[in-house]
Amino acid sequence: MKIIYLIDDEESVRRSVGLLLETYGYEVVPYPCGIDFLREKVSLPRGCILLDVRMPDQNGLEIQSALAADGDSWPVVILTGHGDVVSAVAAMRRGAIDFIEKPFATHQLFEALDRAFDKFAVDEAVHTAKSRIEALTGREREVFDALTEGLSNKQVARKLDISSRTVEAHRAHIMEKLGANNLVEMVRMSLACR
């Protein structure tokens, strides 16, 4: 289920946009202010953020900055009734997927959300690959790095001063730990993490 955190201070917007999104199969979690979301986000499953710009406590751009300061790469789509060029440029520079003004065309919102969830999927794959690579032992990491540089098993054995059979054993363990079916998948993981 794709989760959207809808942060908007207007209850009517939360209700109408939330209903629209739920009709199309999204799980919507509404928040009347960004501060509440920031307080709870550590315990929330990751999803996309649909964010208003003008809110009383903290505006959307401040919420977006707080997410970036925490190192969070949650995809953000701005949905606002108070759009201006300065806000749009600031939001896009901070990594917003789109800046949509109310009233909006439904297809525009769904296209932005599709792009947001595409980015989310890529970010999740990179995060998973990084954590799996970091879980390798020191020797496994040396073998992994050499293999993904394009060296053969024999070349890796010579480079690390170990036997080819040991390289093969490490390679099998590495592939198992990474969930990779072949060397090409290992190379893709390595490239994704750079």
Side-chain angles (χ1 to χ4, degrees):
M1 172 80 56
K2 294 180 178 178
I3 302 171
I4 297 175
Y5 297 98
L6 175 56
I7 305 170
D8 197 304
D9 62 319
E10 294 181 42
E11 184 179 346
S12 61
V13 171
R14 291 192 310 273
R15 193 172 41 250
S16 62
V17 173
L19 182 60
L20 172 68
L21 295 171
E22 287 171 350
T23 301
Y24 283 88
Y26 292 99
E27 179 181 338
V28 179
V29 182
Y31 283 90
C33 73
I35 294 170
D36 292 343
F37 171 76
L38 290 174
R39 223 179 272 129
E40 296 177 11
K41 77 175 171 58
V42 177
S43 62
L44 298 172
R46 286 178 43 88
C48 176
I49 300 169
L50 195 52
L51 184 60
D52 188 17
V53 172
R54 289 196 184 165
M55 292 183 285
D57 294 328
Q58 241 183 341
N59 72 43
L61 299 177
E62 292 169 334
I63 300 299
Q64 193 181 14
S65 292
L67 286 166
D70 288 347
D72 292 327
S73 60
W74 295 39
V76 173
V77 174
I78 302 292
L79 182 64
T80 185
H82 306 285
D84 59 63
V85 174
V86 174
S87 296
V89 169
M92 298 307 277
R93 282 189 177 155
R94 290 180 173 104
I97 302 297
D98 207 339
F99 190 95
I100 302 171
E101 291 186 73
K102 301 171 196 169
F104 59 89
T106 303
H107 72 88
Q108 184 184 15
L109 176 61
F110 287 112
E111 287 171 5
L113 291 173
D114 285 345
R115 289 193 312 275
F117 280 105
D118 287 348
K119 179 186 182 311
F120 177 78
V122 169
D123 290 348
E124 285 296 297
V126 169
H127 175 73
T128 299
K130 281 183 180 179
S131 64
R132 289 179 180 174
I133 290 169
E134 288 170 1
L136 298 175
T137 65
R139 179 58 87 179
E140 288 171 342
R141 183 60 190 259
E142 290 173 334
V143 172
F144 171 80
D145 289 341
L147 288 170
T148 57
E149 287 171 10
L151 298 180
S152 69
N153 284 357
K154 287 182 182 180
Q155 291 170 320
V156 173
R158 275 194 301 270
K159 179 179 179 177
L160 300 178
D161 195 28
I162 56 179
S163 73
S164 291
R165 200 172 274 231
T166 302
V167 172
E168 290 170 15
H170 282 306
R171 182 175 173 161
H173 286 119
I174 292 166
M175 289 176 65
E176 183 180 330
K177 283 184 175 181
L178 297 181
N181 295 314
N182 53 47
L183 182 59
V184 173
E185 289 182 15
M186 286 173 47
V187 171
R188 281 191 190 126
M189 293 175 91
S190 175
L191 292 173
C193 295
R194 290 185 183 166

